[in-house]
Each structure stands twice: as structure tokens, then as C-alpha cells.
Amino acid sequence: MAAIYSLYIINKSGGLIFYKDYGSAGRMDTNDSLRVASLWHSMHAISQQLSPTTGCQGIELLEADTFDLHCFQSLTGTKFFVVCEPGTQNMDNMLKFIYELYTDYVLKNPFYEMEMPIRCELFDINLNQAIQKDRVALLGR
């Protein structure tokens, strides 16, 4: 079973610009993935406004019985979140690494238009390698 079920990247206005499903059970269709991304963007924004602490950056971890949802928001407002197995460790580091891949292979791509869906082969290849390494590391524990 995969540690990461799915990965979402949402632009600063709440549009889903990348979605990848890594789990085998419960695959979502395109409309469902758009709804999840939109819902998460809204919940994240509302949590920033309703937080009793100043400087809150929104929800970073949502724990449920059957999954965990980890979120990383870049300084530009782009959100990266993964849905993974409950109790999966080091997702913060994994999300930051995915962000590094995004900056290296997507933002530096002269053919990529900001805020548009990501269609970059080098990003896909390196992302798949990173996810595979993470799975191998989890199997080794």
C-alpha cells in the first residue's frame, strides 16, 4: 500500500493546477478532485481568518481515521497537499521537496504559464522518483 494516496497543487486563487493519484483504491474522477481542491482551499483560507493566534498560516495537518492530509503553502500562496496513510512521518519534508521540484522544473520552464495546469515531463519524472524513494524508505523500516 502506498504511503501517499494523492498529491494536489492549488494556485493562489484556488484553482487545481496539478493532481496525481498514487493509491489503488478509491480513485477519484476529475470533478471529485476539483471539488476536494476547492474545498481545501476554502477551509485553509477560513482557518487563517478564524485562528485565535496571530500569524496563523492555515491548516497544516488534518488527521482522520483513514487518512492524514498534510499541507504546505509557499510564500506565493501556492498550496501543496498530500493525502496519505494515517501516521505517515516526514510529510513536511516531502512537501518541501515537492515544492523544490516545482520551482526547479515548472517555474523555470520557459513554456509554463503561471497559474495554469502543470504539464511538464521533467517535473512528472522527478516527482515519481521522489515518491518511489519515499515508498522504498517506508518499506525499509
Side-chain angles (χ1 to χ4, degrees):
M1 181 177 271
I4 294 177
Y5 298 143
S6 55
L7 166 68
Y8 297 79
I9 302 175
I10 306 171
N11 64 21
K12 63 184 172 189
S13 58
L16 181 65
I17 59 173
F18 184 84
Y19 168 72
K20 182 78 174 181
D21 190 3
Y22 295 99
S24 57
R27 291 184 185 264
M28 292 190 294
D29 65 10
T30 304
N31 288 333
D32 289 338
S33 61
L34 288 169
R35 277 191 284 273
V36 168
S38 177
L39 178 66
W40 181 254
H41 175 75
S42 301
M43 286 176 42
H44 196 270
I46 291 169
S47 70
Q48 285 177 315
Q49 295 174 358
L50 294 179
S51 175
T53 60
T54 57
C56 177
Q57 297 299 311
I59 302 170
E60 294 178 357
L61 173 62
L62 176 76
E63 294 177 328
D65 292 338
T66 57
F67 69 90
D68 286 351
L69 191 150
H70 295 260
C71 182
F72 170 75
Q73 181 174 345
S74 71
L75 293 175
T76 60
T78 303
K79 293 175 198 67
F80 299 78
F81 72 92
V82 292
V83 178
C84 60
E85 291 178 355
T88 303
Q89 301 295 311
N90 299 320
M91 277 297 122
D92 296 341
N93 293 334
M94 182 60 146
L95 284 169
K96 288 176 184 171
F97 184 72
I98 292 170
Y99 174 66
E100 288 176 20
L101 293 175
Y102 171 76
T103 58
D104 286 343
Y105 297 106
V106 177
L107 295 182
K108 293 177 184 175
N109 182 345
F111 302 107
Y112 177 69
E113 294 182 37
M114 292 298 294
E115 307 295 316
M116 296 304 292
I118 298 170
R119 305 274 186 260
C120 180
E121 186 177 354
L122 284 175
F123 176 71
D124 289 338
I125 290 169
N126 285 282
L127 179 62
N128 287 333
Q129 287 175 353
I131 300 297
Q132 195 62 30
K133 281 183 187 176
D134 188 52
R135 283 189 190 149
V136 170
L138 285 171
L139 291 174
R141 338 181 232 159

